[in-house]
Amino acid sequence: CKKTKKIVAFVLSNGMDEYGNIKATVAQLKLLHGKQPNPSPFMEECLKINDFNDFVHITLIATHESHRGKGLAKSLLLADSLRWLVRGRTRAYLNMALERQKIPIAKAVTTRRAAIKTEPAEEETDVICVAAEASIRLYTGLGFADVCPSKVDPETNEVKWTAKEEEGGKVMANLDMKTSARNVSRQVLGDTAPLYSGRKV
């Protein structure tokens, strides 16, 4: 920020699959393949992945709360994508962090089981994990999508996160950073945005 001389947003990434998240998640998807009668076209592409050398791991994205909603994270992610594209990397993945929210226990029971409708004690709360709408919009707008399908409770339509997802986040991937960068560049800069040529430097 020019006014405060402080960092208000940043993106960290590396070219190594440091924690094995993308490999393990694709392996899980392949195991679930027989149980998914109608996989999405994106998941079909994920099933074909055998080489992970051109993946970039987006490890951290942060924006100070006073500067959110200004498109900083989107612009920084775009710049980071271009930085990796000129190095020959064409795919990326990240772990979308889930937010923990406290809700009254009675609401949790009603929401999850659609059963008992009792008034909760004021102190009694339950903690659930949810995906923030702002994060979903940011990542999907930059071409990221869920690698593995989420389980949904048929009665409540609530997403049932795995323990690994609650702890480490939902794995999302972008299998075509070039196209995504081109589209987002045009959104940010207009039709005058230069197109990435694909040439390595």
Side-chain angles (χ1 to χ4, degrees), residues 68 96-103 112 126-136 161 165-170:
R68 290 173 187 164
M96 180 178 65
L98 302 177
E99 294 183 352
R100 286 175 168 77
Q101 294 184 354
K102 287 185 178 181
I103 60 173
R112 291 176 179 171
D126 193 11
V127 178
I128 62 171
C129 288
V130 297
E133 289 296 327
S135 296
I136 294 173
W161 309 106
E165 288 171 342
E166 289 186 355
E167 183 65 28
K170 180 71 175 177

Side-chain angles (χ1 to χ4, degrees), residues 8-76:
V8 296
F10 63 88
V11 172
L12 299 179
S13 61
N14 67 60
M16 300 171 61
D17 187 25
E18 198 170 327
Y19 304 105
N21 285 326
I22 188 65
K23 293 179 183 177
T25 306
V26 169
Q28 180 187 2
L29 178 64
K30 291 179 178 180
L31 288 174
L32 294 172
H33 183 44
K35 301 176 183 178
Q36 292 293 125
N38 298 304
S40 68
F42 178 79
M43 289 178 185
E44 289 281 11
E45 289 300 311
C46 289
L47 287 167
K48 300 174 185 177
I49 299 173
N50 293 306
D51 183 4
F52 298 87
N53 289 329
D54 64 341
F55 269 93
V56 173
H57 184 189
I58 310 296
T59 56
L60 185 61
I61 304 162
T63 304
H64 191 277
E65 59 183 359
S66 63
H67 287 76
R68 290 173 187 164
K70 300 178 180 179
L72 293 178
K74 184 177 184 178
S75 296
L76 287 174

Side-chain angles (χ1 to χ4, degrees), residues 36 43 146 148-153 159-161 165 170:
Q36 292 293 125
M43 289 178 185
D146 293 346
C148 260
S150 296
K151 292 182 179 179
V152 179
D153 189 313
V159 177
K160 300 169 68 176
W161 309 106
E165 288 171 342
K170 180 71 175 177

Side-chain angles (χ1 to χ4, degrees), residues 1-15:
C1 177
K2 292 182 179 180
K3 185 177 181 180
T4 62
K5 305 297 183 183
K6 293 181 179 180
I7 296 173
V8 296
F10 63 88
V11 172
L12 299 179
S13 61
N14 67 60

